[in-house]
Amino acid sequence: MNFFAYRNGEMHAEGVALKTIAQQVGTPFYCYSAAALRAAWQEFADAMKGMNASLCYAVKANSNLAVIKLFGDLGVGADIVSVGEMRRALAAGIPAGRIVYSGVGKKASELMAALEAGVGQINVESSAELETLNAVAGQLGRKADITIRVNPDIDAGTHEKITTGLKENKFGIDIDLARGAFAKAGALPNLRVVGVAMHIGSQLTSLQPYRDAIVRVRSLIEDLRSDGHRIDRLDIGGGLGIVYADETPPSITEFVQVVGKETAGLGCELTFEPGRRLVGEAGVLVSEVILVKPGVFKTFVIVDAAMNDLIRPTLYDAWHDVLPVREPRPDAATIRCDIVGPICESGDYLAQNRDLPSLSAGELIMVRSAGAYGAVMASSYNSRPLVPEVMVDGTRFAITRPRPSIEEMIAAERIPPWMAQAG
Ligand code: LLP
């Protein structure tokens, strides 16, 4: 089912014309389809039926409160990487016990906040963190339930900036050193080891790296059990890819089935931590054309969204489909163009070398598959207000994060007292 489609010549998110939202909210803005979010969840829920497995949404992909709450209301837990994300998950109503805390560099104060809140599982990524967590748990008189994230040294075959499961990446404890780390954890009085965690990368379009990683982790689990550890949980991480251009990522059902098959007989409760796959295709970025500038080699379509609103194209060479919001005539001629923002950097582009029907000032465009790692990675570079977010559900829509005013942005800053006095 396509939740973003042309109807009566206008692009709609479910039952709402994007043009209508633009008139009320202004541009640029992110728009999420609640039905698309629910559909992605439903596919996971159906595939996981009968399995001893739970779903923790990786909040980093899109931490808008409304998005987290939509999943929380469906019984989904949260995978978090900061206390800020924890507070969001709790504010959205996710019970602390369903929160998994991952991350390569957690501070003692953050671990303290997580234990005080009652976070269900902490995925420890280093030997130093074991000691810090043990000390913090001791201060609170608690025992912390932990997994140790291991790095299985598997090439996920994704962009170098989003692969995480290789020896040269900073994540997890090298699988060859893992037995030692588990032995250490087992000897620390305030930690309770409950399992093993992995996460090999993001935007995976093949299941083979998961198979390979699980084979390695399985044999580690057997060793750990023979060392006397209780390993009840296996956290698979996230990483399942989506369609940006012409990728053919596996279906959620295939993914869950393969993980189920590879872990069969292991006797572990599984945790899935998808981010992108739950939200990526459920969101778009809508922007207005400011002006069109013909060049010698190609035309520049300058729009009011920029690299600060969607950093993925310039940071990861990511390809996002761009469509006019008003449906072009089937026979419309196309022009070769770059869709660029108004920021003073050559890296400020949303799309390059696209053949699009000619666009003119005031027209709207839509950037597809922008629901994951879009708004969350936005900044206010060039003093551009943080891009607002909108959720559509059927024929309703609501602003779920308003655009801040310039006054609010300036009011958040302070002049040092000596300057104020001098002035
Ligand atoms: N679990 C852990 C421990 C993670 O580090 C991540 C993502 C996930 C789960 C969720 O992965 P997903 O299912 O979304 O692939 N900003 C980049 C992606 C960074 C992913 C970081 N870790 C991008 O825009 O492509």
Coordinates of all heavy atoms in Angstrom, one line a residue, residues 335-379:
I335 N 13.8 18.3 -17.3 CA 15.1 19.0 -17.4 C 16.0 18.3 -16.4 O 15.6 17.8 -15.4 CB 15.0 20.5 -17.1 CG1 14.2 20.7 -15.8 CG2 14.4 21.3 -18.3 CD1 14.4 22.1 -15.2
R336 N 17.3 18.4 -16.8 CA 18.4 17.8 -15.9 C 18.7 18.9 -14.8 O 19.0 20.0 -15.1 CB 19.6 17.5 -16.7 CG 20.9 17.2 -16.1 CD 21.0 15.9 -15.4 NE 20.4 14.7 -15.9 CZ 21.0 13.6 -16.1 NH1 22.3 13.5 -16.0 NH2 20.4 12.5 -16.5
C337 N 18.5 18.5 -13.5 CA 18.7 19.5 -12.5 C 19.3 19.0 -11.2 O 19.3 17.8 -11.0 CB 17.4 20.3 -12.2 SG 16.0 19.2 -11.8
D338 N 19.8 19.9 -10.4 CA 20.2 19.6 -9.1 C 19.2 20.3 -8.2 O 18.8 21.5 -8.4 CB 21.6 20.2 -8.7 CG 22.7 19.4 -9.2 OD1 22.4 18.4 -10.0 OD2 23.9 19.7 -8.9
I339 N 18.7 19.6 -7.2 CA 17.8 20.3 -6.2 C 18.7 20.7 -5.0 O 19.2 19.8 -4.3 CB 16.7 19.3 -5.7 CG1 16.1 18.5 -6.9 CG2 15.7 19.9 -4.8 CD1 15.2 19.4 -7.7
V340 N 18.8 22.0 -4.8 CA 19.8 22.4 -3.8 C 19.1 23.4 -2.8 O 18.0 24.0 -3.2 CB 21.0 23.2 -4.5 CG1 21.7 22.2 -5.5 CG2 20.5 24.4 -5.2
G341 N 19.7 23.6 -1.7 CA 19.2 24.5 -0.7 C 19.8 25.8 -0.8 O 20.7 26.0 -1.6
P342 N 19.4 26.8 0.1 CA 20.0 28.1 0.0 C 21.3 28.3 0.9 O 21.8 29.4 1.0 CB 18.9 29.0 0.6 CG 17.8 28.1 1.1 CD 18.3 26.7 1.0
I343 N 21.8 27.2 1.4 CA 23.0 27.4 2.3 C 24.3 27.6 1.5 O 24.4 27.0 0.4 CB 23.1 26.1 3.3 CG1 22.0 26.2 4.3 CG2 24.5 26.1 3.9 CD1 22.0 25.1 5.3
C344 N 25.2 28.4 2.1 CA 26.4 28.7 1.4 C 27.4 27.6 1.5 O 28.5 27.7 2.1 CB 27.0 30.0 1.9 SG 25.8 31.1 2.6
E345 N 27.1 26.4 0.9 CA 28.1 25.3 0.9 C 27.8 24.5 -0.4 O 26.6 24.3 -0.7 CB 27.9 24.4 2.1 CG 28.2 25.0 3.4 CD 28.8 24.1 4.4 OE1 29.5 23.1 4.0 OE2 28.7 24.4 5.6
S346 N 28.8 24.0 -1.0 CA 28.6 23.2 -2.2 C 27.9 21.9 -1.9 O 27.3 21.3 -2.7 CB 29.9 23.0 -3.0 OG 30.5 24.2 -3.3
G347 N 28.1 21.5 -0.6 CA 27.5 20.2 -0.2 C 26.0 20.3 0.1 O 25.4 19.4 0.6
D348 N 25.5 21.5 -0.1 CA 24.1 21.8 0.3 C 23.2 21.3 -0.9 O 22.8 22.2 -1.7 CB 23.9 23.2 0.6 CG 22.4 23.5 1.0 OD1 21.7 22.5 1.4 OD2 21.9 24.6 0.8
Y349 N 23.0 20.1 -1.0 CA 22.1 19.6 -2.0 C 21.2 18.5 -1.5 O 21.6 17.8 -0.5 CB 22.8 19.1 -3.3 CG 23.9 18.0 -3.0 CD1 23.5 16.7 -2.9 CD2 25.2 18.4 -2.8 CE1 24.5 15.8 -2.6 CE2 26.2 17.5 -2.5 CZ 25.8 16.1 -2.4 OH 26.8 15.2 -2.1
L350 N 20.0 18.3 -2.0 CA 19.1 17.2 -1.7 C 19.2 16.1 -2.7 O 18.9 15.0 -2.5 CB 17.7 17.7 -1.5 CG 17.5 18.8 -0.4 CD1 16.0 19.3 -0.4 CD2 17.9 18.3 0.9
A351 N 19.5 16.6 -4.0 CA 19.5 15.6 -5.1 C 20.3 16.2 -6.2 O 20.2 17.4 -6.4 CB 18.1 15.3 -5.6
Q352 N 21.1 15.4 -6.9 CA 21.9 15.8 -8.0 C 21.6 15.1 -9.3 O 21.3 13.9 -9.3 CB 23.4 15.7 -7.7 CG 23.8 16.6 -6.6 CD 25.3 16.4 -6.2 OE1 25.7 15.3 -5.9 NE2 26.1 17.5 -6.3
N353 N 21.7 15.8 -10.4 CA 21.5 15.2 -11.7 C 20.2 14.4 -11.9 O 20.2 13.2 -12.2 CB 22.7 14.3 -12.1 CG 24.0 15.1 -12.1 OD1 24.0 16.2 -12.6 ND2 25.0 14.5 -11.4
R354 N 19.1 15.1 -11.6 CA 17.8 14.4 -11.7 C 17.1 15.0 -12.9 O 17.3 16.2 -13.2 CB 16.9 14.7 -10.5 CG 17.5 14.2 -9.2 CD 17.6 12.7 -9.2 NE 18.3 12.2 -8.0 CZ 17.8 12.1 -6.8 NH1 16.6 12.3 -6.6 NH2 18.6 11.7 -5.8
D355 N 16.4 14.1 -13.6 CA 15.5 14.6 -14.7 C 14.1 14.8 -14.2 O 13.4 13.8 -13.9 CB 15.6 13.6 -15.8 CG 17.0 13.5 -16.4 OD1 17.6 14.6 -16.6 OD2 17.5 12.4 -16.7
L356 N 13.8 16.0 -14.0 CA 12.5 16.3 -13.4 C 11.7 17.2 -14.3 O 12.3 18.0 -15.1 CB 12.6 17.0 -12.1 CG 13.1 16.2 -10.9 CD1 13.3 17.1 -9.6 CD2 12.2 15.1 -10.5
P357 N 10.3 17.1 -14.3 CA 9.5 18.0 -15.1 C 9.9 19.4 -14.6 O 10.2 19.7 -13.4 CB 8.1 17.7 -14.7 CG 8.2 16.4 -13.9 CD 9.6 16.2 -13.5
S358 N 9.8 20.4 -15.5 CA 10.3 21.7 -15.1 C 9.5 22.3 -14.0 O 8.3 22.2 -14.0 CB 10.4 22.6 -16.3 OG 9.1 23.1 -16.6
L359 N 10.2 22.9 -13.1 CA 9.6 23.4 -11.8 C 9.7 24.9 -11.9 O 10.7 25.4 -12.4 CB 10.3 22.8 -10.6 CG 10.1 21.3 -10.3 CD1 11.3 20.8 -9.5 CD2 8.8 21.1 -9.6
S360 N 8.8 25.6 -11.2 CA 9.0 27.0 -11.1 C 8.8 27.5 -9.7 O 8.3 26.7 -8.9 CB 8.0 27.7 -12.1 OG 6.7 27.2 -12.0
A361 N 9.2 28.7 -9.5 CA 9.1 29.3 -8.1 C 7.7 29.1 -7.5 O 6.7 29.3 -8.2 CB 9.5 30.8 -8.2
G362 N 7.7 28.7 -6.3 CA 6.4 28.6 -5.6 C 5.8 27.2 -5.6 O 4.9 26.8 -4.9
E363 N 6.4 26.3 -6.5 CA 5.9 25.0 -6.6 C 6.5 24.2 -5.4 O 7.5 24.5 -4.9 CB 6.3 24.3 -7.9 CG 5.3 24.7 -9.0 CD 5.6 23.8 -10.3 OE1 5.5 22.6 -10.2 OE2 5.9 24.4 -11.3
L364 N 5.8 23.1 -5.1 CA 6.2 22.2 -4.0 C 6.9 21.0 -4.5 O 6.4 20.4 -5.5 CB 5.0 21.8 -3.1 CG 4.3 23.0 -2.4 CD1 3.1 22.4 -1.7 CD2 5.2 23.7 -1.4
I365 N 7.9 20.5 -3.8 CA 8.5 19.2 -4.1 C 8.4 18.3 -2.8 O 8.3 18.9 -1.7 CB 9.9 19.3 -4.6 CG1 10.8 20.0 -3.5 CG2 10.1 20.0 -5.9 CD1 12.2 19.5 -3.4
M366 N 8.5 17.0 -3.1 CA 8.5 16.1 -1.9 C 9.7 15.2 -2.0 O 10.0 14.7 -3.1 CB 7.2 15.3 -2.0 CG 7.2 14.0 -1.2 SD 5.6 13.2 -1.4 CE 6.2 11.6 -2.1
V367 N 10.5 15.1 -1.0 CA 11.6 14.2 -0.9 C 11.2 12.9 -0.2 O 10.7 13.0 1.0 CB 12.8 14.9 -0.2 CG1 14.0 13.9 -0.2 CG2 13.1 16.2 -0.7
R368 N 11.3 11.8 -0.8 CA 10.8 10.5 -0.3 C 11.7 9.9 0.7 O 12.9 10.2 0.7 CB 10.6 9.6 -1.5 CG 9.3 9.7 -2.2 CD 9.1 8.4 -2.9 NE 8.0 7.7 -2.4 CZ 6.8 7.6 -3.1 NH1 6.7 8.1 -4.3 NH2 5.8 7.0 -2.6
S369 N 11.1 8.9 1.4 CA 11.9 8.0 2.3 C 12.8 8.9 3.3 O 13.9 8.6 3.5 CB 12.8 7.0 1.6 OG 12.0 6.1 0.8
A370 N 12.1 9.9 3.8 CA 12.9 10.8 4.7 C 12.4 10.7 6.2 O 12.7 11.5 7.0 CB 12.7 12.2 4.2
G371 N 11.7 9.6 6.5 CA 11.1 9.5 7.8 C 12.2 9.0 8.9 O 12.0 9.2 10.1
A372 N 13.3 8.4 8.4 CA 14.3 8.0 9.3 C 15.6 8.8 9.1 O 16.0 9.1 8.0 CB 14.7 6.5 9.0
Y373 N 16.2 9.2 10.2 CA 17.4 10.0 10.2 C 17.3 11.3 9.3 O 18.2 11.7 8.7 CB 18.6 9.1 9.7 CG 18.7 7.8 10.5 CD1 18.4 6.6 9.9 CD2 19.1 7.9 11.8 CE1 18.4 5.4 10.7 CE2 19.1 6.7 12.6 CZ 18.8 5.5 12.0 OH 18.9 4.4 12.7
G374 N 16.1 11.8 9.3 CA 15.8 13.1 8.7 C 15.8 14.2 9.7 O 16.8 14.9 10.0
A375 N 14.6 14.4 10.3 CA 14.4 15.5 11.3 C 15.3 15.3 12.5 O 15.8 16.3 13.0 CB 12.9 15.4 11.8
V376 N 15.6 14.1 12.9 CA 16.5 13.9 14.0 C 17.9 14.4 13.8 O 18.6 14.7 14.7 CB 16.6 12.4 14.5 CG1 15.4 12.0 15.3 CG2 16.8 11.5 13.3
M377 N 18.3 14.5 12.5 CA 19.7 14.9 12.2 C 19.7 16.4 11.8 O 20.7 16.9 11.4 CB 20.3 14.0 11.2 CG 20.6 12.6 11.7 SD 21.4 11.5 10.5 CE 23.1 12.0 10.7
A378 N 18.6 17.0 11.8 CA 18.5 18.4 11.4 C 19.2 19.3 12.4 O 19.3 19.0 13.6 CB 17.0 18.8 11.2
S379 N 19.7 20.4 11.9 CA 20.3 21.4 12.7 C 19.7 22.8 12.4 O 18.9 22.9 11.4 CB 21.8 21.4 12.6 OG 22.1 22.1 11.3

